[in-house]
Amino acid sequence: MGFVDWIKKNLGGTNNSGGARGAQPQSAWGMLDTLIPVLIISLVYFIIFLFMRRSQTRFYAPRTYLGSIRESERSPELKPGFFGWMGSFWKIPDTYALQHQSLDSYLFIRYLRILCTICFVSLCITWPILFPVNATGGGGMSQLEILSYSNVDITGSGKNRLYAHTFVAWIVYGFLMYMILRECIFYINVRQAFLLSPTYAKRMSSRTVLFTSVPEDFLDETRVRSLFNNSAKNVWIVGDATDLDKLVGDRDDAAMKLEKAEVKLLKLVNKARVAAMKKGGSGEKTPPNTDPESGSIAARWIPNKKRPSHRLGPLGLIGEKVDTIEWGREELHKLIPQVDAAQGEFVQGNFKKAPAVFVEFHTQSDAQAAFQTVTHHHALHMAPRYVGVQPNEVIWKSLFIPWWQLFVRRYVVYAFIAVMIIFWAIPVGIVGIIAQVNTLKQLPGLTWLGDIPKPILGVISGLLPAVALSILMSLVPVIIRICARFSGAVTVSRAELFTQNAYFVFQVVQVFLIQTITNTASTAVVQIVEDPGSVFDILSNSLPTSSNFYISYFIVQGLTIATGVLTQVVGCVIFRLFYKFLAGTPRAMYTKWTTLSSLSWGSLLPVYTNIAVISITYAVIAPLILFWSTLAMGLFYLAYRYNVLFVTDTVIDTRGLIYPRALKQLFVGIYLAEVCMVGLFAVSKAVGPAVLMAIFLIFTILYQITLSSALDPLLYSLPRSLQVEEEAIQRSNPVSDAEVGQVNTNEEGSGKHVLSNVQPGSTAKKGNFFMKWLKPWIYADYQTLRNLVPQDQVAELERQYTEEVQANAYFPPSATSPTPVLWIPEDPAGVSKQEVALTSKIIPITDEGCSLDDKNNIVWDTVDARPPIWNEKIYY
C-alpha cells in the first residue's frame, strides 16, 4: 500500500480532483496555444513563397521548362502573378500526373484526396448526431470535452445514448469499408489500363522477368530458353562484378579528380588574367595558332607551384605530393584499357555466376505467363519471381543471397524491428508524458511548472510534444531501408514497399498506441487512486480526452508541415547556397541544377495513413478531431499536388503497388476503432451497444477476408483476357500520330475518347455523381480508364532500343559503364583549348557549352540544360 499512499500524497488531494471526473483538461487553451503560433508561421512562409515563386522558377516550377525534361513530361506554365496562378493550378486535373509522370505519383495524390474525403464525410455523419448527444450527456465536462464521448453520463439512463454512438459507428465504418473496396476496384482497372497500354507494354521491363534462387544446372542460356518454348528474346545470367565495380570506380574517381583539377587550373589562370587586366596589363587570349605542345599557356599566368596538386597518402594528408593533372592522365592511361578489357570479358560471360537470371520475352503476355507460372518442380527454386524490374533499380548484392539465407535474414530483420519498436517506445512515451503537463506539475520537484503562464504551458503541452514526435520519427525510415536491403530486397522499389509496411507499424505503435496509452494512463492513474470504485467511469472518460494531443498534432502537421511541403523556403535557400558555393565544376552545377527532388513513398504514405487511422479511431469517440484531420489532409493534398505537378520527379517506381497497401492499412484504423468502442461500452456496462459493436467487428473481419481473397490476384497480376484483347486492338486498330498525341485529361473518363474505335459502338457512360461513386466497376472500368493513359511513346521506345541497349540492358552498371566525358569551361586565356588537346589523348574532354566570365564564375545554359555530358534517359 506504500505506492498507493505515495500517489495519494503527491498526486492527489487537489481541490477539484475528488470526483471521478477529476481535473478538467485545458483542451481549448491547448488547441488555441498550438494554433496561433503555427498559423502565424504558416502565413509567413506562404507569403515568402508567393514572392519567391516568381523569381525562383528552378526551385518552384522546374518541370515547366527544364531542358533535361522531355516535352511530354513537362507541366504547363502557371501565370506569374501573386494569386493568378491558383486558378490555373486548380484547373489541371490529377490525371495529368498519370499522363506526364508516373502511376505512383497519380495514385499518391489521389490517396490524399480520398483520405480527405473520408474524414470530411465522417464529419458530416458524426457531427449532426453525436454533437447534440454528447453535449447534452450530463457528464459535467467542459471546454472541448463537452463534445466528446466522455461527457455522456454512464451511471444512469445515459447509457441508452450510447446506441447513437453504435449506429453512427456502423455507418462511418461501413462507409470506409466500401471506400476501400471502391478504390481497390478503381486501382485494379487503372493499373491494368496503364500497364497494358502500348507505351508501357512495349517497355523492356514489362517484358522481362527476374528469377531468383535459380539452381546451378539452370544457369545456362540454352536451358533457360527451353523452359519457355523459345519465347525468350534475351537471357542475362547475373554475374559477380565485384572486381569490375572496383576497377570502374577507380577509373571514374581518377577522371573526376582530373576534371576538378582542370577546372581549378582554369579558374586560377582566369583570376590571374583578370588581375593583370585591372593593373593595365594584357589580358588578351593566346593566339589560336599557338602549338599546344610548344609550352604551357597556364605557365604564362601562374607558377607551377600553384598548379593543382595532392598527396598520394591516406586522405591526401601524407605521402608524395604530385601534380593532380599529370597524375590523373597517367592513372587514366593505365585504367581505361584495363576497364575496357575487363568489361569485354564480363560481357562474354567470363564471371562467377549468381543464382539469378533476367529473361526478356518478345511480348508482355509471354512475360506475364512466365511470371504467373510455377517454373521449377522444387520448392523455393526459381522463385520468387519479379516482373517490371528496371535495370537501374536492381540491388545486385541481393541476387547472390541463397534461398535459405533469405528466410534467416528476414526473421532477423523482423526481430530487430520488433526490438526497435520497444526501444523507441521510451522516447515516444516521454513525449506523451510531457503532453500531460497538468499532471506533471503535481509531481515532487516539478511543482514549479504550475508557475509558468498558461499560454506558455499550453505551448509546452501542445506544440512541443507534437514537434518532438515528428523529429523523432524521421529517423526511423532510414534504418528500415537498411533493414530492407539486408533482408534481401532485390530492387529499390521492393525495399520501398517493405519500408511502407514496417514504417506504418512504427507509426501506429509509436505515434498512436504508445502515445495514447501513456497519455490516458498518466491522466487516469491519479483519479483511480483517489476513487478506486469509479475505475470504469474514469477509464471511459480518459480515452476521449487523449484526442486533445492529436488535435495539436494535426494542427502542426496540417498547417506547418503542409505549408513547409509547399513553400520549402529553407530548402530553397539551402539549394541556392549549395549551388553557389559547393558546386565548383560544370558537372556539379549541371547535376545539382537538373536533379529534381523525389518523393519517398515508403516514408510518406505511412504518415498520412496513420493520421487517417487516428481520425477513424476517434471519429465516434471525439468527433471534433475530424475537422482538423480533414483540414490537414486537404492541405497536404494541395501541397503535394503542386509538388508532383511542378517540382518533383519519380525515382522509385512501384507500378502503383503503394496504393493497395495503403488502402488495406486503413483496416487497422477500423479494427482499433471497433475494439475501442467495444471496450468503452464494456467499461460503461452498456451491454447492448457492446454486443452490437462486437457483431460489427466480426462482420469487418469476414469482409476483409472476402475482399482479399476476391481482389488480391487482380491487384498484383495482369489478366490474360485483357492482354489478348489489348493485343487484338493494337493489331486491328493502328493509331495515327495525330490521334496518338491527344490524351484525355478528364478523370474517370468523363470526356471524349482518345481512341474512339477501341470498342465499336462504345459511348461515354453517363450517370449522376452518386451512381459513379457507387459503381466503379461500371463507370471506372478498364475501357473507360484506358482513355486516360498516354499512348504516344511507342515510336520513341523503338528509337531508344538500339541493338546495344537491348543486348546490355540487364548487365550490372559497371559492365557497360562508358568512359566519362570530362567537361571544363572555356576560358578567355585559351588554356582550356590546350588542356583539351592534351587530355583528349587519354580520355574524352570538351570545353563546349560553358565558359568563365571576368568574375571567375562558370556560365552555362541553364534553360536548355543539355550539355555535352547529357545522356538521354532510357525508359526501360
Side-chain angles (χ1 to χ4, degrees):
M1 294 299 293
F3 175 70
V4 174
D5 292 338
W6 182 88
I7 293 178
K8 286 182 176 181
K9 178 180 179 181
N10 292 283
L11 299 184
T14 58
N15 294 332
N16 58 349
S17 63
R21 301 283 169 175
Q24 300 295 314
Q26 301 297 313
S27 54
W29 273 110
M31 184 180 72
L32 289 176
D33 290 338
T34 301
L35 177 61
I36 292 172
V38 164
L39 190 60
I40 293 173
I41 294 172
S42 300
L43 287 174
V44 170
Y45 272 115
F46 188 71
I47 292 171
I48 295 174
F49 165 74
L50 291 178
F51 281 92
M52 295 183 67
R53 193 192 70 83
R54 304 176 66 188
S55 59
Q56 302 297 325
T57 308
R58 161 57 188 88
F59 194 79
Y60 289 111
R63 297 191 67 87
T64 61
Y65 79 97
L66 210 58
S68 57
I69 301 175
R70 294 183 179 184
E71 291 284 349
S72 61
E73 296 179 337
R74 295 184 189 179
S75 299
E77 293 186 11
L78 297 177
K79 294 181 180 180
F82 282 107
F83 302 102
W85 61 273
M86 295 182 181
S88 303
F89 166 66
W90 187 256
K91 291 178 182 178
I92 301 174
D94 290 353
T95 49
Y96 197 91
L98 175 68
Q99 298 154 0
H100 299 273
Q101 196 169 147
S102 70
L103 180 60
D104 283 342
S105 298
Y106 166 66
L107 291 175
F108 173 60
I109 57 178
R110 181 181 178 87
Y111 183 64
L112 294 178
R113 192 182 70 188
I114 292 299
L115 293 184
C116 182
T117 302
I118 289 172
C119 293
F120 178 71
V121 173
S122 300
L123 180 151
C124 294
I125 295 171
T126 56
W127 280 24
I129 301 173
L130 295 185
F131 272 6
V133 171
N134 294 335
T136 60
M141 286 292 179
S142 62
Q143 297 199 27
L144 302 183
E145 280 67 36
I146 198 174
L147 301 175
S148 70
Y149 176 97
S150 58
N151 196 48
V152 177
D153 184 6
I154 60 174
T155 59
S157 60
K159 293 180 182 178
N160 293 330
R161 291 174 176 263
L162 301 184
Y163 282 102
H165 296 78
T166 303
F167 293 117
V168 168
W170 280 23
I171 298 172
V172 171
Y173 306 152
F175 163 75
L176 177 56
M177 289 158 63
Y178 187 78
M179 280 295 291
I180 295 173
L181 169 64
R182 184 194 186 280
E183 287 305 303
C184 282
I185 293 174
F186 176 87
Y187 163 77
I188 289 169
N189 291 333
V190 75
R191 181 174 184 268
Q192 291 172 351
F194 186 83
L195 298 184
L196 289 172
S197 67
T199 298
Y200 209 95
K202 293 185 181 297
R203 291 188 181 184
M204 289 188 70
S205 60
S206 296
R207 297 181 283 109
T208 302
V209 180
L210 167 61
F211 297 89
T212 59
S213 300
V214 179
E216 188 173 350
D217 54 334
F218 276 87
L219 294 176
D220 177 77
E221 181 175 343
T222 303
R223 190 158 189 188
V224 169
R225 288 181 180 276
S226 66
L227 282 175
F228 306 108
N229 297 323
N230 296 319
S231 62
K233 182 178 180 180
N234 287 305
V235 176
W236 295 272
I237 298 173
V238 178
D240 185 0
T242 304
D243 295 337
L244 182 57
D245 290 343
K246 184 179 184 307
L247 198 58
V248 171
D250 291 342
R251 180 202 65 186
D252 292 347
D253 289 344
M256 294 305 102
K257 199 174 190 70
L258 173 59
E259 183 182 78
K260 290 179 181 178
E262 295 277 18
V263 174
K264 184 177 180 180
L265 174 66
L266 295 176
K267 287 185 174 182
L268 289 171
V269 170
N270 195 49
K271 182 178 180 181
R273 183 190 67 84
V274 172
M277 289 179 62
K278 290 180 178 179
K279 293 179 181 179
S282 173
E284 296 181 355
K285 182 177 179 178
T286 304
N289 57 359
T290 301
D291 182 8
E293 301 289 347
S294 61
S296 171
I297 301 175
R300 173 183 171 184
W301 302 102
I302 60 172
N304 286 338
K305 65 179 181 179
K306 286 190 175 182
R307 286 173 61 88
S309 61
H310 69 282
R311 296 185 181 275
L312 299 179
L315 302 177
L317 300 176
I318 59 175
E320 181 187 358
K321 188 174 184 179
V322 295
D323 184 289
T324 303
I325 294 177
E326 296 298 331
W327 173 88
R329 289 171 182 165
E330 293 175 2
E331 284 293 301
L332 291 171
H333 183 70
K334 295 183 297 182
L335 287 172
I336 291 176
Q338 293 177 14
V339 170
D340 292 342
Q343 287 177 332
E345 289 289 316
F346 192 95
V347 171
Q348 293 298 321
N350 299 322
F351 49 71
K352 178 183 177 182
K353 296 178 180 179
V357 175
F358 290 93
V359 182
E360 180 195 0
F361 295 86
H362 290 282
T363 64
Q364 185 187 42
S365 58
D366 289 338
Q368 283 291 323
F371 170 67
Q372 298 179 35
T373 303
V374 177
T375 311
H376 199 272
H377 58 283
H378 285 167
L380 305 176
H381 285 58
M382 298 193 77
R385 300 173 294 279
Y386 306 91
V387 70
V389 175
Q390 300 182 38
N392 57 0
E393 68 166 350
V394 177
I395 303 174
W396 296 95
K397 291 183 179 179
S398 297
L399 301 181
F400 290 83
I401 301 176
W403 64 266
W404 61 269
Q405 257 194 48
L406 288 174
F407 286 95
V408 175
R409 286 170 176 252
R410 189 176 306 158
Y411 290 123
V412 168
V413 166
Y414 290 162
F416 175 79
I417 291 177
V419 170
M420 195 163 68
I421 289 177
I422 299 173
F423 168 77
W424 234 260
I426 298 173
V428 171
I430 293 174
V431 171
I433 292 174
I434 293 174
Q436 295 299 317
V437 69
N438 286 320
T439 301
L440 290 177
K441 66 184 181 183
Q442 302 176 51
L443 290 171
L446 296 178
T447 54
W448 57 269
L449 291 173
D451 300 329
I452 299 177
K454 187 178 291 185
I456 298 178
L457 203 62
V459 172
I460 294 175
S461 62
L463 179 62
L464 182 60
V467 173
L469 192 61
S470 298
I471 295 174
L472 191 64
M473 296 308 296
S474 66
L475 302 175
V476 178
V478 178
I479 300 174
I480 293 178
R481 287 190 178 95
I482 295 173
C483 291
R485 289 173 176 263
F486 178 80
S487 68
V490 297
T491 65
V492 176
S493 61
R494 302 301 302 184
E496 203 66 13
L497 291 171
F498 179 93
T499 303
Q500 182 184 0
N501 278 346
Y503 191 46
F504 174 70
V505 175
F506 259 90
Q507 284 283 321
V508 171
V509 172
Q510 299 296 338
V511 179
F512 185 27
L513 296 181
I514 297 296
Q515 170 64 33
T516 300
I517 293 171
T518 306
N519 203 329
T520 303
S522 61
T523 303
V525 63
V526 177
Q527 301 172 17
I528 292 174
V529 171
E530 287 288 329
D531 189 1
S534 302
V535 60
F536 295 118
D537 187 16
I538 294 169
L539 289 176
S540 67
N541 295 323
S542 297
L543 181 61
T545 61
S546 299
S547 64
N548 296 333
F549 168 81
Y550 294 107
I551 289 177
S552 298
Y553 182 66
F554 290 171
I555 291 174
V556 172
Q557 288 283 333
L559 291 177
T560 305
I561 308 300
T563 305
V565 168
L566 174 65
T567 61
Q568 301 186 66
V569 174
V570 177
C572 181
V573 173
I574 293 175
F575 173 83
R576 299 303 303 186
L577 292 175
F578 269 69
Y579 181 76
K580 185 175 180 62
F581 297 107
L582 297 182
T585 66
R587 184 185 303 273
M589 296 176 71
Y590 166 76
T591 302
K592 184 66 178 176
W593 190 262
T594 59
T595 302
L596 304 185
S597 58
S598 60
L599 300 177
S600 301
W601 312 123
S603 53
L604 271 181
L605 274 93
V607 174
Y608 307 115
T609 304
N610 188 50
I611 291 178
V613 166
I614 296 170
S615 303
I616 295 165
T617 306
Y618 282 108
V620 179
I621 300 172
L624 181 64
I625 200 172
L626 291 172
F627 171 79
W628 296 107
S629 61
T630 301
L631 179 63
M633 286 302 178
L635 292 175
F636 274 121
Y637 164 69
L638 294 175
Y640 278 109
R641 187 174 184 271
Y642 182 91
N643 276 359
V644 165
L645 293 176
F646 297 100
V647 179
T648 62
D649 193 15
T650 299
V651 175
I652 301 173
D653 182 14
T654 69
R655 296 156 58 96
L657 291 176
I658 55 173
Y659 197 57
R661 289 190 180 220
L663 290 172
K664 289 183 177 183
Q665 288 168 354
L666 293 177
F667 273 107
V668 174
I670 299 175
Y671 288 129
L672 287 175
E674 292 170 346
V675 170
C676 285
M677 292 296 291
V678 171
L680 285 174
F681 292 153
V683 298
S684 301
K685 300 179 181 178
V687 179
V691 172
L692 290 174
M693 281 308 305
I695 292 173
F696 196 82
L697 174 60
I698 296 172
F699 169 75
T700 304
I701 296 172
L702 297 176
Y703 179 89
Q704 186 182 12
I705 293 173
T706 305
L707 178 71
S708 297
S709 62
L711 297 184
D712 276 3
L714 294 172
L715 291 175
Y716 309 110
S717 302
L718 296 178
R720 179 64 178 166
S721 59
L722 287 180
Q723 293 177 49
V724 173
E725 182 179 350
E726 188 66 43
E727 290 173 359
I729 291 173
Q730 297 306 316
R731 288 193 300 267
S732 60
N733 296 314
V735 184
S736 66
D737 293 338
E739 291 174 312
V740 117
Q742 300 172 0
V743 179
N744 181 19
T745 58
N746 294 310
E747 191 147 4
E748 299 192 14
S750 57
K752 63 181 181 179
H753 291 275
V754 179
L755 304 175
S756 59
N757 54 354
V758 170
Q759 293 292 338
S762 64
T763 57
K765 301 177 180 66
K766 297 181 180 180
N768 57 46
F769 173 81
F770 179 74
M771 293 305 296
K772 287 184 177 180
W773 174 81
L774 189 64
K775 298 182 177 181
W777 53 88
I778 295 178
Y779 297 99
D781 62 353
Y782 172 80
Q783 180 182 336
T784 303
L785 295 179
R786 187 184 187 278
N787 298 320
L788 302 179
V789 178
Q791 313 278 335
D792 58 345
Q793 296 181 12
V794 178
E796 182 68 16
L797 290 177
E798 294 177 353
R799 182 188 65 80
Q800 284 192 337
Y801 292 162
T802 62
E803 291 185 6
E804 182 181 2
V805 169
Q806 294 186 62
N808 299 331
Y810 284 91
F811 282 124
S814 60
T816 57
S817 173
T819 301
V821 177
L822 305 190
W823 188 27
I824 61 175
E826 182 182 14
D827 70 310
V831 177
S832 65
K833 299 299 181 185
Q834 185 179 52
E835 293 301 310
V836 167
L838 295 173
T839 305
S840 61
K841 299 177 181 179
I842 309 296
I843 187 173
I845 183 174
T846 180
D847 64 349
E848 298 176 358
C850 66
S851 60
L852 285 173
D853 62 12
D854 287 343
K855 295 181 179 180
N856 223 19
N857 295 322
I858 297 174
V859 180
W860 65 289
D861 185 0
T862 58
V863 176
D864 181 64
R866 293 194 176 184
I869 62 172
W870 175 77
N871 289 316
E872 183 180 15
K873 179 181 177 181
I874 298 177
Y875 289 85
Y876 289 103

